[in-house]
Amino acid sequence: MSNGRLRAGAAALTRKLEPHARRLAGESEKAAAIDLDDWLKPCFGAELDPVEARLTTDPDLPLSVFSGLSDDLWALLSTRSYSAYPAILKALPEVPDPALQISWNGAEGVTLAAQSASFYSKVKARIRRYGEIPVEEASLLDFGCGWGRLLRLFGREVTPDRLFGCDPVESILDTCREAGVRATLARSEFLPREIPFEEKFDAAYSFSVFTHISEESHLTCLNAIHGSLKPGGLFFVTVRPPGYLRISAESAPLLEQAGPDLAKAYEGPRYGFQPHASDESHPQFDGTKMHYGEAVIGLDYIREKWDMFELLDVTPQASDMYQVVVTLRRKD
Ligand SMILES: C[S@@+](CC[C@H](N)C(=O)[O-])C[C@H]1O[C@@H](n2cnc3c(N)ncnc32)[C@H](O)[C@@H]1O
């Protein structure tokens, strides 16, 4: 897959970045210059040297060889911003260039790794707390996996035959494949009647997907995920709180419609969706309207409209307060 096609796909999907994403991008340009060698060797050499030695002897070891490392160190290793550990680098997937990371996630490199580590740790803690089996034995779905930034992390605990990712943009799945992300991948529909795998999952997660899709798309995706889970299966999803409207220039019409008391306006099952400007070449333009944009909801919406799930908890992320993690359990 050519870089040109990939960039065109990325540009088509996330053409307009939010102002705060541009700010993050500015910060992460500095982070891109970070070389972790002088940080990894002196502080974590005692942990990493034995892993490097094992991978030098056997480069095909499963990623569980990294299981002794903290989540933050694992996430930072996944950025590949170092050269001191060639066998470790060889074992880890290539990362897309910073421009693609920013267009997909609004940040890149170490800044993005901190956000990824936060979500990854929180999901694992909740699987321990609410799940019926350890994450190492679970089958796990990443819904809207993008370039696989989170699959790369969960790949340490979950083997590729039980780790699944789907996304409606084929070119971004190609990015995962070409980088060597160790997971089973397939394209899903934008309005999916079902998930494109036979497997039923112990858990699924979806980061920054339900924050961007129309209500119709949102409810269709939610039903498909519900159908893909085992009875009692867990679902971790990020949502944007109404407060996001205050920092999103694109969402100004929604802020105006809500009136002066934003929190009150989002009491009850209100879905705030501001589509991006219509673009016939965009994969989520259905001929009359865009299904991709900025979406905000409050907990009342989840309680009333997501009644096929039990709401277990709601977790903030200090690393990105506009991606609130909601933990749900499938009801039968
Ligand atoms: C902001 S990116 C986040 C990617 C990935 N979840 C991550 O956190 O790195 C949004 C992703 O949602 C995907 N997406 C958009 N509409 C979707 C839909 N209807 N169903 C599933 N995924 C969708 C996009 O292709 C894109 O990969």
Side-chain angles (χ1 to χ4, degrees):
M1 152 87 227
S2 73
N3 272 347
R5 206 176 120 213
L6 195 53
R7 282 205 191 87
L13 194 63
T14 48
R15 254 175 332 103
K16 294 186 179 177
L17 295 175
E18 311 88 335
H20 90 292
R22 292 201 191 90
R23 180 179 54 74
L24 284 171
E27 284 171 12
S28 59
E29 269 158 31
K30 282 180 232 141
I34 289 177
D35 176 350
L36 293 175
D37 279 339
D38 297 334
W39 180 85
L40 288 173
K41 271 277 175 198
C43 297
F44 303 103
E47 291 168 69
L48 295 177
D49 290 351
V51 179
E52 176 72 9
R54 289 186 65 194
L55 285 168
T56 303
T57 309
D58 184 355
D60 297 324
L61 284 173
L63 295 178
S64 56
V65 68
F66 293 97
S67 61
L69 310 183
S70 69
D71 290 351
D72 279 30
L73 183 53
W74 173 230
L76 287 167
L77 283 183
S78 78
T79 65
R80 304 173 56 91
S81 310
Y82 50 92
S83 55
Y85 292 102
I88 288 179
L89 280 169
K90 207 164 161 214
L92 299 182
E94 296 286 342
V95 286
D97 67 41
L100 186 136
Q101 294 181 43
I102 289 169
S103 73
W104 228 260
N105 299 103
E108 57 90 27
V110 167
T111 306
L112 183 58
Q115 296 174 13
S116 309
S118 160
F119 181 74
Y120 164 67
S121 297
K122 286 174 172 58
V123 167
K124 286 197 303 170
R126 274 148 194 81
I127 291 178
R128 276 196 297 277
R129 178 163 173 200
Y130 299 115
E132 286 172 7
I133 54 173
V135 65
E136 289 80 4
E137 292 167 27
S139 54
L140 187 61
L141 170 70
D142 184 331
F143 181 81
C145 63
W147 54 272
R149 79 181 167 109
L150 295 163
L151 287 171
R152 291 156 197 260
L153 301 185
F154 284 104
R156 176 170 71 157
E157 283 81 15
V158 185
T159 51
D161 56 322
R162 285 187 286 100
L163 184 59
F164 294 77
C166 64
D167 199 285
V169 177
E170 190 69 49
S171 62
I172 203 70
L173 294 173
D174 286 340
T175 304
C176 296
R177 295 181 185 112
E178 286 164 17
V181 172
R182 299 191 201 189
T184 306
L185 302 167
R187 183 180 176 273
S188 49
E189 297 299 326
F190 282 107
L191 292 171
R193 284 184 37 230
E194 54 195 12
I195 302 299
F197 304 110
E198 298 279 302
E199 184 86 16
K200 294 290 174 198
F201 300 101
D202 296 294
Y205 62 85
S206 191
F207 190 106
S208 191
V209 176
F210 285 78
T211 53
H212 287 296
I213 55 182
S214 67
E215 188 169 23
E216 178 191 358
S217 181
H218 163 120
L219 293 171
T220 307
C221 291
L222 199 64
N223 277 316
I225 291 165
H226 181 267
S228 78
L229 289 169
K230 291 180 185 169
L234 300 175
F235 180 41
F236 308 94
V237 56
T238 64
V239 296
R240 286 210 199 287
Y244 176 72
L245 299 182
R246 295 202 190 280
I247 64 146
S248 164
E250 279 196 316
S251 309
L254 290 181
L255 189 60
E256 206 178 307
Q257 284 160 26
D261 191 342
L262 187 54
K264 184 137 189 67
Y266 278 84
E267 282 174 5
R270 180 175 187 152
Y271 194 89
F273 178 64
Q274 182 63 41
H276 287 175
S278 288
D279 172 354
E280 285 179 11
S281 68
H282 194 287
Q284 280 175 273
F285 181 69
D286 70 4
T288 51
K289 57 185 184 298
M290 292 283 281
H291 286 270
Y292 200 81
E294 305 300 324
V296 300
I297 51 174
L299 286 189
D300 283 352
Y301 186 94
I302 293 175
R303 287 193 193 99
E304 290 188 39
K305 299 281 188 171
W306 297 12
D307 56 357
M308 68 287 249
F309 288 98
E310 177 192 357
L311 176 59
L312 296 178
D313 76 27
V314 182
T315 312
Q317 299 195 93
S319 57
D320 186 351
M321 59 188 276
Y322 297 108
Q323 296 282 357
V324 174
V325 184
V326 177
T327 303
L328 304 147
R329 192 197 306 279
R330 180 193 145 123
K331 284 192 212 162
D332 295 315

